[in-house]
Amino acid sequence: MSEASRRKERERSARGKRQTKEAEVLQQRRKEDDDEESSEDDESELSSEDSPWISWFCSLRGNEFFAEVDEDFIQDDFNLTGLSALVPNYDYALDMILDTETDEVLSEEQQEIVESAAEMLYGLIHARYILTNRGMTVMAHKYNNVHFGRCPRVYCQGQPALPVGQSDIPRMNTVKIFCPMCQDIYYPRLRRNANIDGAYFGTTFPHLLLQMYPDLQPVVNTVKYVPRIYGFKIHESARNNSNPNLNNNAPKNNTTSLINTSFSTKSSGTIFK
């Protein structure tokens, strides 16, 4: 067999492997979509009366990214340092999270306010918990089971992703997913996950997890899509001058127009005060 024949054979083999991999990724995503649809039909959220608040909260649709924080972690005041200044109605919210019974009866409006505060407080506690050994173990298990979705980038071939925040300050950005393969962030695929505050996961978590569990870090993929026309790469000079006619039709510079108007007006004898 000649060298040219062997090269063509290798190309065919590589092409076949790529097509097989793409088919596997598409099949896996279809399966996940089917599972998601069936879970939406059959899913019954836990009742807040029949289960602890933490389990109930994490079972809500849209809260799949959250891990269940151990109550002993929450009961340690050291782990909550500084949160009372960030969360309104802190004491009421903490009592709700820990299912502490109180004799005080709240109105419906007050109950909604406390529930909102409890969600914020739990999210900020969660951001700290997932940086501990116990929290990372839980999140690594969720990552291995693709609970956070996959990277939408074609060249990452369905790489599982991790949740990440763009800020550690609440109410700044919503949560994104970080791909360990292309080292970039994306919006979550499901809209209900995209409404979570990014500060509930923080800027550190995915990177610290991959440092603690190096076997979870895939080989970084630096391959980028290259635009082509008739099989040829587009030269940079062609990008900058793709439509020279646009320059001829561009509006005149506003500064030049104002200067011309000023000279014209002055020549006619008008004085500006």
Side-chain angles (χ1 to χ4, degrees), residues 161-172:
L162 288 162
V164 67
Q166 293 175 271
S167 173
D168 294 311
I169 302 173
R171 297 175 180 172
M172 293 291 290

Side-chain angles (χ1 to χ4, degrees), residues 249-262:
N249 298 327
K252 294 181 179 180
N253 185 282
N254 291 335
T255 305
T256 305
S257 300
L258 289 172
I259 292 173
N260 293 336
T261 304
S262 176

Side-chain angles (χ1 to χ4, degrees), residues 122-190:
Y122 183 81
L124 296 176
I125 295 172
H126 180 270
R128 299 181 178 187
Y129 177 73
I130 59 178
L131 299 181
T132 66
N133 289 332
R134 285 182 296 174
M136 283 195 181
T137 300
V138 176
M139 296 297 275
H141 177 73
K142 292 171 74 70
Y143 170 70
N144 286 326
N145 287 280
V146 202
H147 286 185
F148 309 120
R150 299 179 182 273
C151 177
R153 186 172 177 266
V154 171
Y155 290 112
C156 290
Q157 298 181 328
Q159 167 66 39
L162 288 162
V164 67
Q166 293 175 271
S167 173
D168 294 311
I169 302 173
R171 297 175 180 172
M172 293 291 290
N173 303 98
T174 56
V175 69
K176 307 299 186 296
I177 56 172
F178 169 77
C179 174
M181 182 172 286
C182 65
Q183 303 283 295
D184 208 347
I185 61 173
Y186 305 89
Y187 289 101
R189 183 175 65 87
L190 297 178

Side-chain angles (χ1 to χ4, degrees), residues 45-57 59-60 96 99 101 111 115:
E45 296 171 354
L46 297 176
S47 170
S48 59
E49 298 179 356
D50 301 334
S51 61
W53 186 93
I54 295 174
S55 298
W56 166 79
F57 177 78
S59 73
L60 295 176
M96 178 173 286
D99 298 302
E101 295 184 3
Q111 184 74 12
E115 287 177 357

Side-chain angles (χ1 to χ4, degrees), residues 222-239:
T222 58
V223 177
K224 293 185 177 180
Y225 173 74
V226 179
R228 297 175 183 270
I229 295 179
Y230 299 121
F232 295 98
K233 296 181 182 179
I234 304 174
H235 195 272
E236 190 63 31
S237 61
R239 295 175 184 270

Side-chain angles (χ1 to χ4, degrees), residues 197-218:
D197 196 316
Y200 298 166
F201 297 88
T203 58
T204 299
F205 162 67
H207 317 298
L208 184 59
L209 179 73
L210 295 172
Q211 290 290 324
M212 296 293 292
Y213 296 89
D215 55 311
L216 298 181
Q217 172 65 61

